[in-house]
């Protein structure tokens, strides 16, 4: 695995990648788990209780990946919409399985109160390869904008376009992992021909609010719920989490739309990006999934009480 003290093994330092380097990178990516077995089979089980639809298809080489969404069966135009997305970064496992676990265990409790739309695995190619990027070395979570270069992002935007003004809440479920520092950030620097600047991985759960439309009380309601399941990431000695100033306990802020982040795809008044830390010795995979579920339930509860 790459470290901060070694040059990234692909490309020339200071020079952005071209087609040759991207092809070299792609040749090193291997399938490590099954989208069909671990994700599609769970979605299939939900068909008896929810509407399931294919909203797109990704074709990479000889492989095709159907993009699937789950909707409330009792969809009503007079109800607010709750959008839940997971697996925008395919390697962030609890985002995918937390979304599915929420649907399986808790979605029925909101019948008649909200319309649920869940896209649990936005980037299935990356899910199988436990990677951040798609097969073209593009980060889908910087690609939610017009003329998106990422098929994953473009398909999701098309799915939500008819309801983007009806969404009350958007929960985008993510993780921050040790491999962000050892692999993905160094790869990003190499791809873009920039120097890699080492950082610190926060130990614990945190949230990313929208700096343009902050909702601090909403974010704190989620932090309090997640804390019942897992520990909250503390600020470092600079008062930051993952290089960003802490706005409130366990919360940082990004300009979501400016960065092309998934949480900007609707006009929802309530939106957040969860960040679970699966590599902590204090958290199990089950806790990571449960923290995502707790965050979603708390977000819905707050949004409904304050709409």
């Amino acid at each position: 695995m790459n470290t901060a003290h070694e040059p990234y093994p692909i490309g020339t330092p200071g020079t952005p990648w071209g087609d040759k380097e991207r092809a070299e990178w792609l040749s090193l990516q291997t399938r490590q788990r099954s989208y069909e077995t671990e994700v599609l089979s769970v979605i299939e089980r939900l068909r008896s209780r929810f509407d399931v639809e294919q909203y797109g298809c990704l074709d990479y080489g000889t492989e095709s990946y159907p993009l699937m969404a789950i909707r409330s069966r009792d969809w009503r135009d007079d109800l607010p919409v709750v959008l839940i997305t997971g697996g925008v970064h395919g390697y962030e496992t609890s985002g995918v399985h937390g979304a599915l676990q929420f649907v399986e265990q808790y979605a029925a409790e909101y019948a008649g109160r909200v319309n649920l739309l869940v896209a649990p695995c936005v980037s299935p190619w990356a899910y199988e390869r436990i990677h951040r990027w798609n097969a073209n070395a593009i980060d889908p979570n910087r690609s939610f904008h017009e003329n998106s270069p990422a098929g994953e992002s473009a398909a999701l935007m098309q799915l939500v376009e008819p309801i983007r003004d009806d969404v009350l809440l958007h929960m985008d479920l993510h993780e921050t992992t040790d491999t962000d520092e050892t692999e993905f950030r160094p790869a990003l620097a190499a791809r873009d021909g920039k120097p890699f600047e080492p950082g610190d991985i926060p130990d614990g759960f945190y949230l990313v609010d929208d700096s343009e439309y902050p909702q601090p009380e909403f974010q704190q309601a989620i932090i309090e719920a997640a804390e019942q399941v897992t520990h909250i990431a503390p600020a470092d000695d600079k008062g930051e989490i993952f290089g960003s100033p802490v706005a409130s306990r366990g919360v940082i802020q990004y300009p979501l739309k400016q960065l092309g982040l998934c949480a900007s795809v609707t006009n929802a008044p309530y939106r957040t990006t969860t960040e679970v830390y699966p590599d902590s010795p204090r958290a199990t995979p089950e806790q990571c999934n449960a923290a995502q579920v707790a965050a979603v339930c708390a977000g819905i509860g707050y949004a409904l009480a304050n709409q």
Side-chain angles (χ1 to χ4, degrees):
M1 186 174 288
N2 184 59
T3 73
H5 305 291
E6 301 171 348
Y8 195 76
I10 297 173
T12 303
T15 303
W17 288 1
D19 291 342
K20 175 178 175 292
E21 290 80 11
R22 288 175 186 264
E24 182 183 351
W25 169 83
L26 180 60
S27 73
L28 298 176
Q29 307 312 311
T30 58
R31 187 171 181 267
Q32 301 182 58
R33 56 187 178 183
S34 171
Y35 172 62
E36 183 174 0
T37 301
E38 299 179 16
V39 180
L40 294 183
S41 66
V42 179
I43 295 173
E44 196 61 31
R45 289 203 307 265
L46 296 168
R47 280 187 184 272
S48 63
R49 295 187 287 141
F50 300 92
D51 288 342
V52 173
E53 65 178 289
Q54 181 174 334
Y55 66 91
C57 185
L58 299 171
D59 294 315
Y60 288 125
T62 60
E63 296 179 290
S64 291
Y65 295 89
L67 296 170
M68 307 303 293
I70 303 160
R71 286 183 190 263
S72 300
R73 180 151 289 169
D74 56 344
W75 192 282
R76 285 171 29 197
D77 290 342
D78 60 323
L79 295 178
V81 177
V82 169
L83 173 64
I84 302 165
T85 48
V88 173
H89 290 142
Y91 70 109
E92 297 173 7
T93 305
S94 73
V96 176
H97 294 289
L100 291 170
Q101 186 171 316
F102 166 77
V103 176
E104 284 199 288
Q105 296 181 349
Y106 294 99
E109 296 181 11
Y110 300 97
R113 300 168 64 197
V114 300
N115 298 318
L116 289 171
L117 177 59
V118 183
C121 191
V122 173
S123 297
W125 181 92
Y127 176 86
E128 292 199 330
R129 285 149 186 86
I130 313 182
H131 212 287
R132 183 178 181 89
W133 295 342
N134 68 14
N136 298 317
I138 293 171
D139 184 344
N141 206 34
R142 295 297 184 275
S143 304
F144 287 93
H145 53 73
E146 194 173 351
N147 300 317
S148 175
E152 297 84 353
S153 310
L156 186 68
M157 288 189 291
Q158 186 174 12
L159 173 69
V160 304
E161 178 60 32
I163 58 162
R164 63 194 306 267
D165 293 331
D166 303 323
V167 177
L168 174 66
L169 166 68
H170 179 188
M171 303 283 299
D172 189 30
L173 311 183
H174 283 254
E175 294 181 342
T176 300
T177 69
D178 288 347
T179 50
D180 284 346
E181 188 68 11
T182 59
E183 171 61 26
F184 299 128
R185 292 184 65 246
L188 173 64
R191 185 198 69 184
D192 294 347
K194 297 178 179 179
F196 171 60
E197 299 178 1
D200 295 316
I201 299 298
D203 183 354
F205 180 98
Y206 66 101
L207 297 172
V208 182
D209 194 3
D210 188 354
S211 60
E212 303 300 314
Y213 304 98
Q215 290 282 358
E217 293 84 4
F218 164 67
Q219 307 293 335
Q220 282 305 310
I222 298 173
I223 290 291
E224 290 169 11
E227 190 171 24
Q228 305 306 308
V229 181
T230 191
H231 57 291
I232 304 305
D236 62 19
D237 55 8
K238 298 177 184 177
E240 297 177 342
I241 292 176
F242 210 37
S244 294
V246 171
S248 60
R249 181 168 175 261
V251 181
I252 61 174
Q253 297 177 345
Y254 287 169
L256 302 182
K257 194 165 190 64
Q258 180 182 321
L259 294 176
L261 301 183
C262 182
S264 71
V265 298
T266 75
N267 292 320
Y270 300 107
R271 43 187 146 169
T272 196
T273 302
T274 66
E275 294 287 355
V276 169
Y277 179 47
D279 297 313
S280 174
R282 301 164 60 189
T284 65
E286 292 75 21
Q287 277 179 292
C288 292
N289 293 345
Q292 302 281 22
V293 173
V296 170
C297 291
I300 297 174
Y302 185 95
L304 286 177
N306 294 275
Q307 62 179 314

